[in-house]
Amino acid sequence: MKKGKATIHDIAEKLNITASTVSRALNDNPRISENTKKQVIKMAKQLNYQPNHIASALRSGKSKLIGVLVPTANRNFFSSVVRGIEEIANELDYKVIISQSYEDFEKEVQTVDALLNARVDGIIASIGKNTDSFDHFKKVLDKGIPLILFDRITNELDVSQVVIDDYLGAYEVTKHLIDQGCKRIVHFTSPKKINIYRERLRGYEDALRDAQIPLDSDLIEESNMQLEDGRTSMENILRKGVSFDAVFSSSDYAVMGAMQVLREHKISVPDQVKLAGFGNEPFTSFTAPPITTVDQKSIPMGRVTAETFFELLKSENKKKATHKTVLKPELIIRESSLNKS
């Protein structure tokens, strides 16, 4: 046998059958006997045969591949959403190609093109923070390829979306801080056009209004919401000299940065300043004190997103009416925001 990748012709030659019989056997065609299927699969393993998904997709019109695009995979939230997507996809014999945009617009555009070139049957995406043009996603829709957005979405695309109720999560955590006696609550948000941060800011502001607590722009800090940004935002608040008794961050990472700075300044949490984040990253339960946060139901979000995708995939009309699924978040109250009894 020639060197290089094994093909169905190599398997056929070894078994003295036709290449079309090998192809049908590998695709579990009912016209092929179980004995032949077993022989083909055994020989395929011996020859280390790898199917050509692109060639198969060109022939059948289906690659059984889904492209999943996330801003970053090293966050518990996104990795858990991907897990939920894979659970549903694997049940239906689909494979998932995971790509990261690293919050880079050009990288996001290139990745969408790469997924299209890989002949994926559809794309599930969460938009990067720096994305403000959506032509690359419109190209997906123009090709008639299913597209679903989750978590970070845009209303500029007529597609189905799966999100949590960011407004409710932020409202509940802010109300919890108010119930603990806090009246000067700092809020860390992002200046970008991302829906999740807009909704969390709105929830924070409405909770203050409903408690008849005046809004103070000096208490709102905008950043990219990473740990170092949280440190910088906390230093900014301390430098301004404004009074505050709590910090609610739209990111667990940024609130962790705030906690570090408060500790360095000998400011006690929760005695002097109460803290709350958003995301329920695993580290929030291991800090001292553990951090109050909002759980985003990431695995259920992944499963619901995948179910929505497969409903669209099997639909005759790939441009059928879109819908938005909103999942309810859960407030996780821990020691960082509680009055000591």
Side-chain angles (χ1 to χ4, degrees):
M1 190 181 76
K2 65 183 183 296
K3 287 186 177 180
K5 289 184 179 178
T7 69
I8 59 171
H9 298 284
D10 298 321
I11 299 170
E13 186 180 323
K14 287 281 188 182
L15 296 175
N16 200 25
I17 57 178
T18 65
S20 59
T21 299
V22 172
S23 178
R24 291 191 187 102
L26 289 171
N27 287 295
D28 202 23
N29 190 301
R31 290 167 56 188
I32 306 300
S33 71
E34 288 303 315
N35 184 51
T36 301
K37 286 177 188 174
K38 285 177 185 174
Q39 287 182 326
V40 168
I41 290 167
K42 184 179 178 182
M43 184 56 66
K45 286 180 179 175
Q46 285 179 13
L47 298 178
N48 196 26
Y49 167 74
Q50 299 293 325
N52 186 330
H53 283 291
I54 293 178
S56 175
L58 287 169
R59 286 192 302 270
S60 68
K62 283 210 165 48
S63 66
K64 305 284 272 188
L65 296 173
I66 307 170
V68 176
L69 176 58
V70 295
T72 178
N74 70 347
R75 292 286 184 269
N76 181 65
F77 170 72
F78 287 115
S79 59
S80 296
V81 171
V82 169
R83 176 182 161 186
I85 291 170
E86 285 190 311
E87 284 177 359
I88 298 296
N90 291 342
E91 287 171 13
L92 298 169
D93 198 29
Y94 269 75
K95 301 302 178 192
V96 174
I97 299 176
I98 302 162
S99 300
Q100 302 175 74
S101 68
Y102 300 101
E103 308 284 11
D104 183 296
F105 173 70
E106 291 302 327
K107 176 82 172 170
E108 186 176 281
V109 172
Q110 291 164 11
T111 301
V112 169
D113 282 340
L115 290 172
L116 291 175
N117 289 336
R119 303 272 174 177
V120 294
D121 289 343
I123 294 175
I124 295 171
S126 188
I127 295 167
K129 284 180 185 174
N130 297 305
T131 299
D132 53 12
S133 169
F134 304 97
D135 289 346
H136 50 308
F137 289 120
K138 288 172 184 171
K139 189 198 300 185
V140 176
L141 297 175
D142 289 344
K143 288 179 178 288
I145 294 171
L147 172 67
I148 305 286
L149 297 180
F150 73 92
D151 188 49
R152 300 190 194 169
I153 60 173
T154 175
N155 292 326
E156 290 188 36
L157 296 169
D158 185 23
V159 297
S160 290
Q161 306 165 343
V162 181
V163 296
I164 65 154
D165 193 332
D166 288 286
Y167 170 86
L168 177 64
Y171 186 97
E172 287 186 343
V173 74
T174 307
K175 184 177 185 304
H176 161 69
L177 291 169
I178 294 167
D179 290 344
Q180 295 297 302
C182 301
K183 289 184 167 56
R184 299 280 296 168
I185 304 171
V186 171
H187 182 52
F188 292 173
T189 185
S190 173
K192 308 299 180 188
K193 301 174 182 177
I194 299 295
N195 60 296
I196 60 174
Y197 299 119
R198 284 201 310 270
E199 286 300 290
R200 291 171 196 176
L201 175 61
R202 198 166 66 84
Y204 158 82
E205 291 177 337
D206 280 0
L208 292 177
R209 285 193 191 96
D210 290 349
Q212 297 183 318
I213 297 172
L215 301 179
D216 185 347
S217 60
D218 282 339
L219 296 178
I220 296 175
E221 282 287 319
E222 296 182 347
S223 76
N224 282 324
M225 309 300 287
Q226 303 306 308
L227 187 143
E228 279 303 317
D229 299 309
R231 290 185 59 86
T232 302
S233 293
M234 194 72 265
E235 292 283 9
N236 288 344
I237 291 290
L238 292 170
R239 194 178 302 113
K240 282 192 282 191
V242 294
S243 65
F244 67 100
D245 49 22
V247 177
F248 161 44
S249 168
S250 279
S251 153
D252 282 339
Y253 286 88
V255 85
M256 183 69 195
M259 177 181 272
Q260 291 176 353
V261 170
L262 291 171
R263 184 177 294 127
E264 290 161 11
H265 285 263
K266 304 290 191 294
I267 297 171
S268 175
V269 176
D271 298 332
Q272 293 171 274
V273 173
K274 293 173 172 51
L275 296 180
F278 206 110
N280 198 21
E281 290 288 338
F283 65 78
T284 56
S285 61
F286 300 118
T287 53
I291 298 172
T292 291
T293 186
V294 177
D295 187 89
Q296 295 177 268
K297 303 297 179 186
S298 48
I299 293 178
M301 178 180 285
R303 292 182 66 89
V304 169
T305 301
E307 287 164 357
T308 304
F309 171 82
F310 283 111
E311 282 174 19
L312 180 59
L313 191 65
K314 70 184 180 186
S315 166
E316 291 298 316
N317 178 15
K318 296 291 186 286
K319 291 187 176 179
K320 70 173 189 174
T322 59
H323 61 278
K324 186 175 186 176
T325 303
V326 182
L327 305 177
K328 187 177 180 183
E330 180 185 359
L331 176 60
I332 310 289
I333 297 172
R334 299 192 181 112
E335 193 182 330
S336 72
S337 65
L338 289 172
N339 292 320
K340 290 188 177 177
S341 53

